[in-house]
Amino acid sequence: MADIFREIDEELQQEKAARLWKRYGPYVLAVAVLIVLGVGGYRFWLSYDAKQKAAQSARYETAARALAEDPAAAAAEFGALAQDGNKGYAALASLQQAAALVEAGDLEAAIITYKKLADDTAVPAVFRDLARLLAVTHRIDSGDPTELSREISALANTSGPWRPLAREAEALIALKAGDKSKAREILETLTADAETPAQLRARATELLSAIASE
């Protein structure tokens, strides 16, 4: 992570938030997936009998192993599990399907998958909100800042588990739009908030330093 922070100033000078997100976005997504697995996965794992769990777990693991070598195939496997798995596995599989599509270079299909999950009221809120967050963060490079700000505001202004990441995304969107003042305000709030995860606070601090040095 230290190398990433040292590059932040250079990235801000070149493409501001777009390239910056490309640098450390995967770390944010990795943290998000771990939180989802911890918050939701185990609870859903307990809700079905052992045979169902074993079969769906095997399918999930097979798709996960395929991800590194063939993201497109992994996306197809996760998509199939999302269609006929139980609620817990279906939601996790949808998230992984979208992540695999990103790896396969099909960002448009990934965004559609995230949005579909975010709009599915049958899915627990923790998964829907994460899907909404990821749908926005993957479009910081190319999306309209006004639209992205509107989409992320609901998560950024609640007390849900994704609030700090949503606030960070808001700051990146503001930087992409050229609004350094708004970005600075958001980042300062994050650094001052005791509930902000340490790694995220470190990123916010580095971003503030980079903005100040411009």
Side-chain angles (χ1 to χ4, degrees), residues 84-103:
D84 55 26
N86 68 44
K87 283 186 178 181
Y89 269 113
L92 287 171
S94 289
L95 288 168
Q96 291 284 44
Q97 178 189 11
L101 287 168
V102 172
E103 288 295 315

Side-chain angles (χ1 to χ4, degrees), residues 5-22:
F5 293 149
R6 282 195 294 270
E7 293 178 7
I8 284 179
D9 184 56
E10 178 184 347
E11 300 293 8
L12 278 173
Q13 294 293 336
Q14 295 176 12
E15 290 293 341
K16 289 193 168 61
R19 291 193 181 183
L20 186 64
W21 177 255
K22 286 181 180 178

Side-chain angles (χ1 to χ4, degrees), residues 53-103:
K53 290 186 295 186
Q56 293 184 39
S57 175
R59 290 175 64 190
Y60 190 95
E61 288 299 321
T62 297
R65 285 195 298 270
L67 183 57
E69 296 182 359
D70 191 344
E77 291 288 339
F78 282 125
L81 183 55
Q83 289 296 315
D84 55 26
N86 68 44
K87 283 186 178 181
Y89 269 113
L92 287 171
S94 289
L95 288 168
Q96 291 284 44
Q97 178 189 11
L101 287 168
V102 172
E103 288 295 315

